[in-house]
Amino acid sequence: MCTVHLLLKINGSWKIRQAAVHHQLDIGSGIQLWLFGDPHAAIKDRITEIINANLNYREKYETVAASFKSSLNVHLEIARWSTQGWRLYLLSLEETVETLTSKFVFRNSPRSQLDTDDLFRVQEYEGKVNETVMVLESNGDNLESLRNFYIMLVEESGFPTAAQMSCRGSVKQFCSQLHELIYDVKMQIRRANILVKTVADRKAIFIQFLQTETAVRAEGLSATMWRQTEKASQEAIAMRIITVITLIYLPPTFVSLFPFAWYKHEGVKMKKRAASMEKEFPDVFNETPGLTGSFS
């Protein structure tokens, strides 16, 4: 049993699906058993076109050689399907990556419109490309294992002699077609690896550009803070100058106002004292003209 990765286009978008395939063939009787584990039933119609009990049954399964060849045809159909669509899928990935990264790769692009959402999308498609490489390598390994298995099978000593020559011819034809599919898979793997490197390089440029923008903004913020600090320093110096001037001119002002305040205070005291004496000696003040009110 092996797992095959199939590429399907569902509602306009590409989806990678898995299908498990199990095959048994009785070399002595030509009876074969196929088991397909496909939750989406995508492989059912493709296999039904090849294995149909009501269509040329005797011609396909009446001998060991015919049954052996029919099993190879099923393998070949599954192999073809596992290699279909990857070229178009990689092309769509290349176009999407080019659209996302052209903003910061080309000099004339409006880089000011970039944001972290673009970086997240580039990261998302980088993951898809890496997944594609892994899936293609898995499919390629399965195809090579399948080819090597049947090459060794027809050379086994226990293989029926009567059908060996015919089966060798079928395997030779099968391996020839399988070789083309393996070559196509390897070419798509090389193409995907180049795309992985391209995405990684452009993502690094993108990150560097975002870091540069962050540094420029931080530098502008630092310059603004420096100007504010310098302004505050100048204001502090001005306040110190005002304080010094105040300390220089305030004492003389206080001293110049002190005699006037003292004279006024003494005048009030003398008025109070005269009023008290007038109450205490009214006869004296009444008999002495001009004495009353002399302190007013």
Side-chain angles (χ1 to χ4, degrees):
M1 179 179 289
C2 67
T3 301
V4 180
H5 296 84
L6 307 174
L7 186 64
L8 306 175
K9 197 167 187 178
I10 303 174
N11 297 327
S13 60
W14 294 100
K15 302 293 182 182
I16 299 176
R17 303 301 188 192
Q18 291 184 351
V21 180
H22 175 75
H23 174 236
Q24 288 182 351
L25 175 64
D26 187 348
I27 298 299
S29 62
I31 297 175
Q32 52 182 303
L33 171 67
W34 289 92
L35 296 176
F36 300 99
D38 182 13
H40 302 279
I43 203 172
K44 178 181 178 181
D45 295 336
R46 299 291 291 264
I47 300 302
T48 303
E49 295 176 0
I50 302 173
I51 302 178
N52 194 328
N54 298 322
L55 181 62
N56 298 329
Y57 177 79
R58 291 186 177 181
E59 181 180 346
K60 290 185 177 181
Y61 305 106
E62 65 179 354
T63 64
V64 173
S67 181
F68 184 82
K69 184 177 181 179
S70 66
S71 67
L72 294 180
N73 290 335
V74 175
H75 279 302
L76 193 60
E77 183 64 23
I78 297 174
R80 286 198 185 102
W81 198 14
S82 68
T83 60
Q84 288 179 353
W86 294 105
R87 184 182 63 82
L88 296 177
Y89 179 57
L90 284 173
L91 179 61
S92 67
L93 290 178
E94 290 171 348
E95 292 176 349
T96 304
V97 170
E98 184 69 21
T99 302
L100 289 175
T101 59
S102 60
K103 297 179 182 179
F104 50 89
V105 171
F106 301 106
R107 294 182 178 180
N108 297 329
S109 300
R111 298 188 177 187
S112 58
Q113 300 178 1
L114 296 177
D115 53 22
T116 54
D117 291 338
D118 294 328
L119 178 60
F120 293 149
R121 292 195 64 193
V122 172
Q123 181 72 37
E124 176 186 356
Y125 278 91
E126 183 183 21
K128 289 184 178 181
V129 176
N130 286 323
E131 180 188 16
T132 302
V133 173
M134 180 192 68
V135 169
L136 286 174
E137 288 179 347
S138 176
N139 285 350
D141 292 340
N142 288 336
L143 296 181
E144 289 183 345
S145 298
L146 185 65
R147 180 188 60 185
N148 296 334
F149 171 77
Y150 278 103
I151 289 175
M152 292 186 296
L153 179 63
V154 293
E155 301 299 332
E156 289 286 339
S157 58
F159 198 89
T161 306
Q164 192 169 22
M165 292 299 297
S166 177
C167 290
R168 281 178 179 173
S170 299
V171 169
K172 184 177 180 180
Q173 184 179 3
F174 170 74
C175 290
S176 176
Q177 298 181 50
L178 204 60
H179 177 74
E180 296 179 1
L181 298 178
I182 293 173
Y183 176 80
D184 182 66
V185 169
K186 289 183 177 180
M187 184 178 66
Q188 301 305 328
I189 291 174
R190 288 192 292 268
R191 182 179 175 185
N193 283 327
I194 294 174
L195 184 57
V196 167
K197 187 177 183 302
T198 301
V199 174
D201 292 342
R202 294 190 176 185
K203 187 180 72 171
I205 296 174
F206 194 3
I207 293 174
Q208 185 178 6
F209 175 73
L210 291 179
Q211 290 175 345
T212 303
E213 276 195 338
T214 303
V216 170
R217 292 174 183 173
E219 183 180 359
L221 181 61
S222 299
T224 302
M225 294 180 64
W226 182 83
R227 287 193 295 268
Q228 292 178 353
T229 303
E230 185 179 13
K231 184 178 180 181
S233 177
Q234 292 175 354
E235 291 177 353
I237 293 173
M239 291 299 297
R240 290 177 183 176
I241 294 173
I242 293 173
T243 302
V244 171
I245 294 174
T246 302
L247 292 176
I248 292 174
Y249 287 97
L250 183 60
T253 304
F254 177 76
V255 172
S256 64
L257 294 176
F258 179 75
F260 174 76
W262 178 83
Y263 175 77
K264 186 176 181 181
H265 178 68
E266 290 298 325
V268 172
K269 288 174 64 178
M270 292 178 67
K271 285 182 179 181
K272 290 182 179 180
R273 187 178 299 172
S276 177
M277 291 178 65
E278 186 177 359
K279 290 180 180 180
E280 188 175 353
F281 306 102
D283 297 334
V284 176
F285 282 88
N286 292 330
E287 294 177 359
T288 307
L291 184 61
T292 304
S294 60
F295 295 99
S296 57

